[in-house]
Amino acid sequence: MDRPSVSALELQVKARPVPRHVGIIMDGNGRWAESRGLPRLEGHREGSSSVREVTRTARRLGIQALTLYAFSSQNWARPAEEVAGLMELLRDYLERERPEILDNGIRLNAIGDVDRLPRYVRDPLDRLIADSRHNTGMVLSLALSYGGREEILHAARRMAEAIAKGELSAAGMEEKDFEQFLWTHGLPPLDLVVRTSGELRVSNFLLWQVAYAELCFTDALWPDFRTEEFLRCVAQYQQRERRFGLTSAQVKRDDPPQRAKA
């Protein structure tokens, strides 16, 4: 059987409920470059084209939030030359994509220990976040200097401070009380996590949020991951039965109070 065209596949995906929030672990830039005899940084440069294409596709599908794992807390340990090159690429991305983001009603967000970013990155990042804050379209979150364990630890510290000040009662704590201290507070629940390059792990990405998210792993290296690959991941998500601890029979009854916990 012939595979549907990309446009036909997009129509098929649009006809079914799409995930509210998609997170992507963008992996394989370095291997893409090395397999072509190029410097690793060229893979990251080519990967920025995938960022633009996937962001556009997610917006067309009506996905509410897209979170991209752009630079992890652990990436600071990479060679200084590579880190500096990545920071320059990030600055270039923020300046180049500024019209795209503002003209398409996208709200830019950043999660992670962004205070560690150099000023030449922080300045355009802060400006674009501020200038897009009233946009009502998709929220594009860049995970920068981000780690899932670091996020949970940061949230626990802030929660402990709130308890010490009497702003919160430890005895009555619920999940929603803890979640207000996470960097992702205000974003929709995470429905789908995609990882490229064939690796089968989440690599410290959105560890709290991933609890009931669907996972999709693809062999495509990030610079090769474009619209068709993204659509296939969303289509795979749409074929899953999401039970959230319930039985199939309960899910099929579509009990609204239970499903709302998604």
Side-chain angles (χ1 to χ4, degrees):
M1 180 181 293
D2 293 336
R3 296 172 69 175
S5 66
V6 175
S7 57
L9 179 58
E10 184 165 331
L11 289 174
Q12 291 175 15
V13 168
K14 283 182 175 180
R16 303 185 66 186
V18 298
R20 294 159 295 182
H21 183 180
V22 177
I24 303 182
I25 302 170
M26 306 180 295
D27 193 23
N29 291 329
R31 276 171 283 167
W32 182 92
E34 289 169 353
S35 69
R36 290 162 172 77
L38 299 171
R40 287 175 55 85
L41 205 58
E42 290 306 308
H44 295 292
R45 195 183 310 278
E46 182 66 22
S48 67
S49 296
S50 294
V51 169
R52 169 179 273 209
E53 189 164 323
V54 168
T55 300
R56 287 177 171 178
T57 304
R59 181 179 173 276
R60 289 198 307 272
L61 293 179
I63 290 170
Q64 297 174 32
L66 177 66
T67 299
L68 304 178
Y69 203 5
F71 190 85
S72 75
S73 301
Q74 290 67 45
N75 286 158
W76 291 111
R78 289 189 175 185
E81 182 179 353
E82 182 172 347
V83 171
L86 288 170
M87 290 297 109
E88 290 176 3
L89 286 177
L90 177 56
R91 178 200 59 201
D92 293 346
Y93 167 81
L94 291 167
E95 293 175 346
R96 185 180 66 252
E97 298 302 310
R98 179 182 174 85
E100 175 95 3
I101 288 171
L102 295 178
D103 293 346
N104 288 282
I106 294 171
R107 179 163 67 86
L108 185 68
N109 181 43
I111 61 173
D113 185 9
V114 295
D115 288 341
R116 290 191 67 181
L117 298 174
R119 178 52 57 187
Y120 65 83
V121 173
R122 279 292 305 279
D123 285 346
L125 176 65
D126 290 345
R127 281 197 301 271
L128 191 47
I129 289 173
D131 291 344
S132 66
R133 67 186 181 279
H134 297 304
N135 288 351
T136 57
M138 185 181 74
V139 180
L140 173 62
S141 296
L142 301 179
L144 299 168
S145 189
Y146 174 86
R149 289 181 175 178
E150 289 81 355
E151 178 183 26
I152 292 170
L153 182 58
H154 178 267
R157 286 171 175 159
R158 290 186 59 207
M159 183 185 69
E161 292 171 358
I163 292 173
K165 293 176 182 177
E167 300 170 353
L168 200 62
S169 168
M173 279 286 298
E174 298 181 2
E175 286 184 13
K176 62 180 177 61
D177 297 311
F178 182 73
E179 287 173 346
Q180 68 178 308
F181 297 106
L182 293 171
W183 285 319
T184 54
H185 177 62
L187 295 177
L190 184 67
D191 287 327
L192 172 64
V193 172
V194 176
R195 179 167 188 149
T196 61
S197 88
E199 302 292 350
L200 305 178
R201 56 181 178 271
V202 295
S203 294
N204 204 22
F205 182 55
L206 299 176
L207 296 183
W208 174 277
Q209 300 83 349
V210 79
Y212 279 103
E214 298 296 325
L215 306 179
C216 178
F217 298 101
T218 172
D219 289 334
L221 301 177
W222 177 247
D224 295 325
F225 187 89
R226 301 297 172 98
T227 295
E228 181 174 3
E229 289 75 18
F230 183 59
L231 290 172
R232 294 198 179 282
C233 287
V234 175
Q236 186 180 131
Y237 162 88
Q238 292 172 328
Q239 295 168 3
R240 308 270 180 92
E241 181 182 71
R242 309 191 72 209
R243 296 195 297 273
F244 304 101
L246 306 180
T247 66
S248 293
Q250 286 175 301
V251 171
K252 288 173 183 176
R253 285 201 301 268
D254 197 23
D255 185 351
Q258 296 290 337
R259 296 295 293 280
K261 293 181 181 179

